[in-house]
Amino acid sequence: MALAKLGPVVLDCPDPGALAAFYAEVLGGSVEGEGDWVDLRVPGGQALAFQAAPGFVPPKWPAPDHSQQFHLDLVVEDLDAAEKGVLELGAKPLDAEDRSRSFRVYADPAGHPFCLCAG
């Protein structure tokens, strides 16, 4: 028997509304709230929450001395189309050059690493 149920995955960031809007464009869903805490409700998926973090410093990837702490794996049907879309929304490529792999690594507008993974 489980002791708990997983709630939303929470990302610290400088602007919760802006980062929630980025992920809403990538994943769909509805943005709820404003200010220091914003939720993204994704239909049929795990909820994400975005929390204001004064003095936020984005993780570095890859950097053994600056842990990424976590990342999101986003499953997509078409890596090239998804890449085009996330770049247009403000993502930055971190490790997307190797086209032979089934994943590509990016940073969201606040600097959190995420992967687009072939479904």
Side-chain angles (χ1 to χ4, degrees), residues 21-112:
F22 169 83
Y23 279 106
E25 288 293 325
V26 173
L27 299 170
S30 60
V31 175
E32 300 173 3
E34 58 185 51
D36 289 346
W37 186 279
V38 178
D39 292 309
L40 174 60
R41 307 282 181 210
V42 180
Q46 180 66 38
L48 293 176
F50 306 89
Q51 173 177 278
F56 174 77
V57 177
K60 294 179 182 176
W61 187 95
D65 56 339
H66 290 91
S67 170
Q68 68 175 325
Q69 301 175 14
F70 87 103
H71 72 273
L72 299 172
D73 282 345
L74 308 178
V75 179
V76 300
E77 293 299 319
D78 181 333
L79 278 171
D80 292 330
E83 175 181 66
K84 181 177 186 276
V86 299
L87 294 175
E88 288 172 355
L89 293 168
K92 305 275 188 275
L94 295 178
D95 184 18
E97 297 83 21
D98 186 349
R99 301 300 194 194
S100 67
R101 297 182 310 202
S102 61
F103 68 94
R104 299 176 190 165
V105 186
Y106 305 87
D108 68 24
H112 302 104

